Amino acid sequence: MIEIRNLTKRFASYTAVFDLSLTIAQGETLVLLGTSGCGKTTTLKMVNRLIEPTSGSIRVDGVDVMKQAAFELRRRIGYVIQDGGLFPHYTVAEAIATVPKLLDWGPEMIRERTNELINKLRLPQTLLARYPAELSGGQRQRVGLARALAVRPSIVLMDEPFGALDPFTRRQVRRELFGLNELRETTVVLVTHDVSEALELADRIALMDAGRIVQVATPDALLTSPASDFVRDFLDDKPHRLHD
């Protein structure tokens, strides 16, 4: 679904990502894990062209992203950020309908999809007329995911999506969201610095350091067969557990 080849991004004299190659399968949840400043968010944002690469290539479903209009690419890729990334002047209903309207969905189709999503995400109908400031952190994150899933994208990118939540709500929301069949069938690329989160959610983890991938492996393989002292130390330094 996503093929990244020799990807590099430089900002003036600083190289954020260097010669990175990675393939992500259809329906896979791939977690980009690492310390702050290791290049994981920059890598994520190059997939939907929020950041343009300096060199290298990214192909989504076989097509080079640089050969597509950026706005068209982003409409086909769901994007979720910390605290939902909702516009403060949009109601919940308006937020979920954003991309469907851009794609000329009719009002009834939008209404049906909105109701389907809020039911799946355990949100009450009464929230549809509310604004982000009137929602809890967990509710904002669920609405952010509903907006990202509205047009059934084949790929969803998530940048520290649970970072603004308290630890209890964080665990609760991520388990609910990743328990959705709809999300399980979607290719997900998630950025986090939280080892426990990565081990719980990932099919595979790409551990990054200083703009490079140091190891790509399943959670179990990463724990049992670390490729270097850095990998071992990074995992040993954080509380973690395997999949339930």
Side-chain angles (χ1 to χ4, degrees):
M1 179 59 70
I2 303 173
E3 298 175 78
I4 300 172
R5 293 287 176 265
N6 307 113
L7 193 66
T8 294
K9 178 60 184 180
R10 296 187 183 91
F11 297 96
S13 61
Y14 172 66
T15 301
V17 175
F18 182 74
D19 199 30
L20 185 148
S21 294
L22 182 66
T23 299
I24 304 166
Q26 184 174 354
E28 180 177 26
T29 295
L30 187 284
V31 172
L32 295 171
L33 176 66
T35 56
S36 297
C38 71
K40 54 190 186 295
T41 291
T42 300
T43 300
L44 185 83
K45 288 183 175 180
M46 284 191 281
V47 174
N48 66 353
R49 293 186 58 188
L50 286 173
I51 293 176
E52 303 284 15
T54 303
S55 62
S57 67
I58 302 173
R59 299 175 74 86
V60 171
D61 203 16
V63 181
D64 191 325
V65 299
M66 298 304 294
K67 294 181 179 179
Q68 306 172 57
F71 71 90
E72 290 180 353
L73 176 72
R74 290 175 198 143
R75 288 176 186 176
R76 296 189 292 106
I77 297 177
Y79 187 56
V80 184
I81 62 175
Q82 195 173 108
D83 211 28
L86 304 174
F87 295 124
H89 57 288
Y90 276 29
T91 65
V92 168
E94 289 169 337
I96 296 172
T98 301
V99 178
K101 284 183 177 179
L102 290 172
L103 296 179
D104 295 324
W105 285 26
E108 184 57 33
M109 190 175 178
I110 291 174
R111 188 159 44 249
E112 287 179 4
R113 180 59 173 158
T114 298
N115 289 333
E116 179 186 9
L117 285 167
I118 65 168
N119 289 334
K120 285 182 177 181
L121 293 165
R122 302 180 186 179
L123 292 168
Q125 290 274 344
T126 53
L127 289 190
L128 288 173
R130 295 186 187 177
Y131 293 89
E134 302 174 280
L135 308 178
S136 69
Q139 288 171 337
R140 284 194 296 272
Q141 207 59 59
R142 290 179 177 91
V143 173
L145 183 65
R147 181 185 62 182
L149 291 175
V151 297
R152 299 180 178 87
S154 56
I155 296 171
V156 173
L157 308 179
M158 298 185 172
D159 189 4
E160 298 277 6
F162 311 114
L165 305 177
D166 64 82
F168 176 80
T169 305
R170 183 179 183 130
R171 288 191 297 272
Q172 182 183 43
V173 171
R174 77 189 184 204
R175 287 174 182 172
E176 284 183 12
L177 298 190
F178 276 83
L180 292 174
N181 287 334
E182 188 159 346
L183 198 58
R184 288 177 181 173
E185 297 166 359
T186 303
T187 303
V188 176
V189 185
L190 183 145
V191 164
T192 186
H193 62 273
D194 186 313
V195 172
S196 297
E197 192 164 279
L199 293 172
E200 180 179 343
L201 300 178
D203 294 315
R204 285 189 305 152
I205 296 169
L207 181 59
M208 296 184 65
D209 181 42
R212 301 171 186 260
I213 291 178
V214 293
Q215 187 172 359
V216 182
T218 65
D220 288 352
L222 206 65
L223 288 172
T224 58
S225 303
S228 65
D229 289 341
F230 171 81
V231 177
R232 184 180 299 105
D233 292 345
F234 187 89
L235 297 175
D236 285 347
D237 192 42
K238 309 289 192 303
H240 57 256
R241 62 183 183 79
L242 292 172
H243 294 275
D244 290 334

